[in-house]
Amino acid sequence: SHISAQMRRTQCFFMSSLRLASIDLLYWRNVKQSGAVFSSVLLLLFSLTQFSVVSVGAYLALAALSATISFRIYKSVLQAVQKTDEGHPFKAYLEMEIAMSQDQISKYADKILLYSNTCMKELRRLFLVQDLVDSLKFAVLMWLLTYVGALFNGLTLLILAVVSMFTLPVVYEKHQAQIDQYVGLIRTQVNSVVGK
């Protein structure tokens, strides 16, 4: 009981730390880290536009293996020349516990199940026209998405989403007053049109 409570506190701390790290990443608090993540994700997405997922995965695995094997050989040669016994260079990582607990798997499975069931119920409601207005709105959305699909493929939309995630928060943070003013004007205009 005490151990499970401690694990829950550790998980909560980890999740809040992850959330803060994500926010810091998107707001470019650490420029080197944000730049590395942004460029890596963009490089991966652009690679996927040119090569298959299998090829990109294989090339990434080969690059990682080349780096780790080269580092291991370098450290082994260095240890032989200096006659030291530092051991395996990745020993700390090899001893690190990476297995997920049954509680973690159950928690994530429950969340996925809840989300899946909610989506299925909503889709059933929309497709079987439980509410005519909601089904018509959904039909209009799907019709608009056919035009989006004709202009962009899924990877292009994903690339645009990643670029937006890394640029819009910073732009909004720097120009918040002007953006809020224009959004307020647009919201007023939309509300007046909807009111008529």
Side-chain angles (χ1 to χ4, degrees):
S1 174
H2 172 68
I3 293 174
S4 65
Q6 186 177 7
M7 284 180 64
R8 277 194 296 271
R9 282 194 299 271
T10 304
Q11 286 175 342
C12 289
F13 173 75
F14 176 73
M15 292 307 285
S16 65
S17 297
L18 186 63
R19 215 172 275 126
L20 289 174
S22 299
I23 290 171
D24 288 347
L25 201 64
L26 296 177
Y27 279 93
W28 294 76
R29 305 279 192 251
N30 182 344
V31 175
K32 286 182 181 179
Q33 191 177 28
S34 293
V37 170
F38 180 59
S39 59
S40 299
V41 170
L42 272 184
L43 180 65
L44 175 69
L45 292 174
F46 282 128
S47 298
L48 287 173
T49 62
Q50 299 299 315
F51 305 105
S52 72
V53 174
V54 174
S55 295
V56 171
Y59 285 130
L60 287 174
L62 280 172
L65 277 171
S66 297
T68 55
I69 289 171
S70 299
F71 186 72
R72 171 80 194 273
I73 291 171
Y74 167 75
K75 283 299 221 179
S76 297
V77 169
L78 199 61
Q79 288 174 15
V81 169
Q82 294 178 347
K83 296 186 178 21
T84 61
D85 189 25
E86 295 175 14
H88 197 290
F90 299 116
K91 184 177 182 181
Y93 298 108
L94 288 170
E95 294 173 350
M96 201 182 284
E97 182 64 37
I98 60 170
M100 290 181 68
S101 71
Q102 187 66 33
D103 291 339
Q104 287 174 318
I105 292 172
S106 177
K107 183 179 91 173
Y108 292 125
D110 288 345
K111 285 184 178 181
I112 290 170
L113 183 65
L114 177 68
Y115 180 74
S116 299
N117 287 337
T118 304
C119 286
M120 293 296 285
K121 286 177 185 176
E122 186 63 21
L123 288 172
R124 178 183 66 185
R125 189 181 75 77
L126 291 170
F127 279 106
L128 298 179
V129 196
Q130 183 177 355
D131 182 2
L132 181 62
V133 174
D134 286 346
S135 293
L136 288 173
K137 287 179 188 177
F138 184 65
V140 169
L141 176 66
M142 292 300 108
W143 179 69
L144 290 173
L145 284 177
T146 62
Y147 287 103
V148 172
L151 295 173
F152 305 107
N153 67 19
L155 276 175
T156 305
L157 291 174
L158 197 56
I159 291 169
L160 289 172
V162 167
V163 170
S164 297
M165 282 173 40
F166 277 89
T167 55
L168 293 180
V170 176
V171 169
Y172 180 73
E173 188 177 54
K174 289 184 178 180
H175 305 288
Q176 185 174 359
Q178 296 98 326
I179 293 172
D180 286 345
Q181 178 185 354
Y182 288 120
V183 167
L185 289 172
I186 292 169
R187 191 174 287 153
T188 304
Q189 292 294 326
V190 168
N191 288 339
S192 69
V193 168
V194 169
K196 291 178 184 178

